[in-house]
Amino acid sequence: LIGRGLSPSVEAIVALRPDLVIVWASDKRGDLRSQLEKAGIATLAFNVQDTTDAYRVVRVMGATLG
């Protein structure tokens, strides 16, 4: 379990030792991205406002993940 819904546990994520964590760019609950990067975990942040953004996210994730 890595947390509850929109409140992920940074400690639980770090314990899983992921290569990459995808986060929301507009994380208002705290600076999850910063905490993960300080722990040496790469992050990819997205801000999705509309369908165009959603298509862009799919393209970027595809390119990033191969």
Side-chain angles (χ1 to χ4, degrees), residues 9-35:
S9 165
V10 174
E11 294 81 12
I13 294 171
V14 170
L16 293 171
R17 300 178 50 190
D19 295 324
L20 176 71
V21 174
I22 298 170
V23 299
W24 292 112
S26 60
D27 176 23
K28 293 182 173 78
R29 295 163 311 283
D31 197 1
L32 175 63
R33 185 177 187 187
S34 174
Q35 292 176 29

Side-chain angles (χ1 to χ4, degrees), residues 21-65:
V21 174
I22 298 170
V23 299
W24 292 112
S26 60
D27 176 23
K28 293 182 173 78
R29 295 163 311 283
D31 197 1
L32 175 63
R33 185 177 187 187
S34 174
Q35 292 176 29
L36 291 172
E37 289 176 348
K38 284 179 186 174
I41 298 172
T43 63
L44 185 58
F46 292 109
N47 185 14
V48 180
Q49 299 294 322
D50 56 27
T51 306
T52 302
D53 290 339
Y55 286 122
R56 179 184 52 81
V57 166
V58 170
R59 282 192 310 273
V60 171
M61 285 179 60
T64 301
L65 301 174

